[in-house]
Amino acid sequence: MGPLLAALGLDPRQSLPMRILVVGSGGREHALAWACARHGSAPEIVCAPGNAGTAELGANVAVPVTDGPALTRLAREREVDLVVIGPDAALAAGVADACHAAGLTVFGPSAAAAKIEWSKTHAKQIMDRAGVPTARWCSGNRESRSDLFDFILELDGRCVVKADGLAAGKGVAVCDSREDAFAALAACLNERRFGDAGDAVVVEERLRGPEISIFAVCDGSRYRLLAPARDYKRAHDSDHGPNTGGMGAYAPADDGCPPLVEIAEQVVEPTLAALADAGTPFVGCLYVGLMLTADGIRVLEFNARFGDPETQVVVPLAGPGFLDLLLAAARGELTGAGPPPVAGAAVVVVAAAQGYPAAPRTDDHITGLGDIDDDVLCFHAGTARDQRGRLVTAGGRVLGIVGQGADVATARHRAYQNLERVHFAGMWSRSDIAILPAGVRR
Ligand code: AMP
Ligand code: GLY
């Protein structure tokens, strides 16, 4: 069958519906599953564990995202063609390694390559080795804390104190004074507020400027860039309130952004080369958190996965060929140079549950999704079906409403217009997502 199809110019792998396993349960994973499902070949989607939104695209299977053996068993039973891993915890737990060992095709880096996210010291070492522009830094632990004290004094407290390991987005303290910085250091090293993740600490120079997120789909040596995005991490308008997983995002965020080719040359290419040289080639999505400072771009962090909620806006702009891109990267076969065409703009506004981020309330009945316009997307995050089959809240970030349009202003209007049609008790959102600085129009 294969040779015959090949002789006819058909790819035998395209002749049967593909099966894709998406690992994770957030808005990012619903967006990734949706992007795979819209491929021309109408692939079958399995999500582990998924949410009420992914259940509408295919099958949800209740397997924890860090259980490599159970996930590989599931992938083999369902004969999946590609495993797409969403969350950092799954990567750090070695789920991609387990998939490789089982002979599966997987989009997501090995735990060793993902260390660029789960150890900030390692990320800084790679940045230095690659010559990537970043803030001056110092790392240490309880034993070497005098180095950290000295560096804080040198910076006169205007620094950022970061727990080395994964701390659910809470391990970073942006400090204005020596007192703040010493308190943040004590929270990691003495109080052990972040557990093992804070046993080592990175202190770095505090920079200023707008931030953007760059996503490079990588096959170990080659890459393709997606649209740059900007997310909103604070809970309330004008960037007030506590940090969250992200209350909204827009793309493309190219206002004030240098040409993508410059970012690729200064950051993505040397980083991929350094990772390959270290014996940890990176296959997956390299997420570059950048600050645009008066002195040029500076890398704040790397993540080894797609961003959430940035994926919800980047993926709709990547077109129906997105799955081909993931497959090519996972197979080490990326071709072509330059970013794919970006048509228009997209804005996501997150509808959060009462009490988020401290203590989100669950089990509130969600209504109004049927009233959302056809060209507006609704990605589920913390949603589930109750015993009566009703859609209910099941997490802090509940839904992301994605408007699209020729420019950010139009996309924003579409997102907020449709958000008003959705209801659940205690629902709240930011009202200033994607309001661009005066004079910028896209
Ligand atoms: P990170 O997890 O390292 O990206 O840090 C989380 C957030 O802290 C970033 O999105 C920035 O808003 C802020 N941040 C991190 N590093 C710096 C820095 N060197 N200067 C100023 N702000 C920073
Ligand atoms: N939106 C930030 C992140 O995914 O880490």
Side-chain angles (χ1 to χ4, degrees):
M1 190 69 176
L4 178 60
L5 289 169
L8 292 169
L10 299 171
D11 179 349
R13 286 184 301 220
Q14 303 288 332
S15 60
L16 291 171
M18 279 186 287
R19 282 206 194 121
I20 315 295
L21 170 61
V22 176
V23 177
S25 62
R28 166 183 52 206
E29 285 78 19
H30 189 190
L32 290 171
W34 170 85
C36 292
R38 77 196 283 228
H39 186 262
S41 68
E44 293 172 16
I45 308 293
V46 182
C47 283
N51 58 37
T54 63
E56 288 169 18
L57 294 172
N60 281 353
V61 184
V63 178
V65 299
T66 51
D67 190 341
L71 289 166
T72 50
R73 256 196 319 277
L74 172 66
R76 292 177 84 166
E77 272 163 29
R78 303 284 175 123
E79 298 180 13
V80 307
D81 298 278
L82 177 69
V83 182
V84 180
I85 302 176
D88 48 3
L91 297 167
V95 170
D97 307 77
C99 290
H100 274 297
L104 296 158
T105 304
V106 54
F107 183 85
S110 64
K115 190 173 181 184
I116 200 161
E117 172 164 7
W118 57 260
S119 165
K120 291 192 187 285
T121 306
H122 177 72
K124 287 298 223 180
Q125 286 165 343
I126 293 282
M127 288 184 221
D128 282 359
R129 214 176 299 157
V132 163
T134 187
R136 289 194 299 134
W137 63 285
C138 171
S139 85
N141 54 25
R142 266 181 86 85
E143 281 68 52
S144 57
R145 59 182 179 274
S146 62
D147 296 344
L148 299 170
F149 292 157
D150 290 346
F151 194 54
I152 288 171
L153 294 176
E154 185 187 326
L155 297 171
D156 198 22
R158 281 186 290 276
C159 66
V160 183
V161 177
K162 303 182 176 185
D164 181 73
L166 294 179
K170 300 190 178 81
V172 174
V174 180
C175 305
D176 271 324
S177 66
R178 295 174 179 200
E179 292 69 32
D180 283 357
F182 288 132
L185 199 58
C188 291
L189 298 181
N190 303 348
E191 297 156 31
R192 300 196 78 247
R193 199 173 294 166
F194 309 109
D196 295 350
D199 281 347
V201 171
V202 170
V203 174
E204 61 182 50
E205 163 190 31
R206 179 172 178 179
L207 304 172
R208 290 186 192 272
E211 293 176 43
I212 53 165
S213 310
I214 300 289
F215 301 97
V217 171
C218 305
D219 77 351
S221 56
R222 287 156 296 198
Y223 64 92
R224 292 278 291 277
L225 296 186
L226 304 175
R230 177 164 288 131
D231 74 337
Y232 292 76
K233 293 194 178 74
R234 297 299 195 96
H236 304 306
D237 285 4
S238 307
D239 289 334
H240 291 305
N243 261 326
T244 71
M247 295 300 297
Y250 71 93
D254 45 12
D255 39 294
C257 175
L260 287 184
V261 57
E262 269 177 36
I263 297 173
E265 282 170 11
Q266 288 184 42
V267 178
V268 179
E269 290 171 17
T271 303
L272 286 184
L275 287 168
D277 282 351
T280 55
F282 191 96
V283 177
C285 177
L286 182 68
Y287 166 139
V288 185
L290 272 186
M291 191 170 264
L292 311 175
T293 76
D295 299 322
I297 58 169
R298 297 285 183 273
V299 175
L300 297 183
E301 65 165 343
F302 286 119
N303 293 321
R305 51 166 176 86
F306 286 103
D308 190 343
E310 293 99 317
T311 305
Q312 289 86 312
V313 287
V314 165
V315 143
L317 300 180
F322 184 70
L323 174 57
D324 293 326
L325 198 63
L326 299 188
L327 268 172
R331 291 176 180 148
E333 295 172 358
L334 269 185
T335 53
V342 172
V347 172
V348 62
V349 182
V350 168
Q354 178 156 322
Y356 179 71
R361 192 175 72 191
T362 58
D363 299 315
D364 286 309
H365 182 205
I366 304 167
T367 59
L369 299 196
D371 298 329
I372 291 178
D373 293 326
D374 289 344
D375 62 332
V376 171
L377 297 163
C378 173
F379 290 127
H380 293 223
T383 66
R385 297 269 167 198
D386 69 7
Q387 284 180 343
R388 287 195 275 158
R390 296 185 321 167
L391 188 66
V392 294
T393 62
R397 291 187 292 175
V398 178
L399 299 164
I401 307 295
V402 183
Q404 299 177 76
D407 55 28
V408 172
T410 311
R412 170 175 203 280
H413 174 70
R414 300 291 292 139
Y416 275 106
Q417 194 182 37
N418 280 267
L419 180 72
E420 281 178 15
R421 301 175 193 169
V422 178
H423 300 281
F424 52 85
M427 170 176 143
W428 63 276
S429 57
R430 271 182 69 153
S431 70
D432 65 347
I433 302 300
I435 293 184
L436 302 188
V440 176
R441 183 170 166 80
R442 263 210 52 97

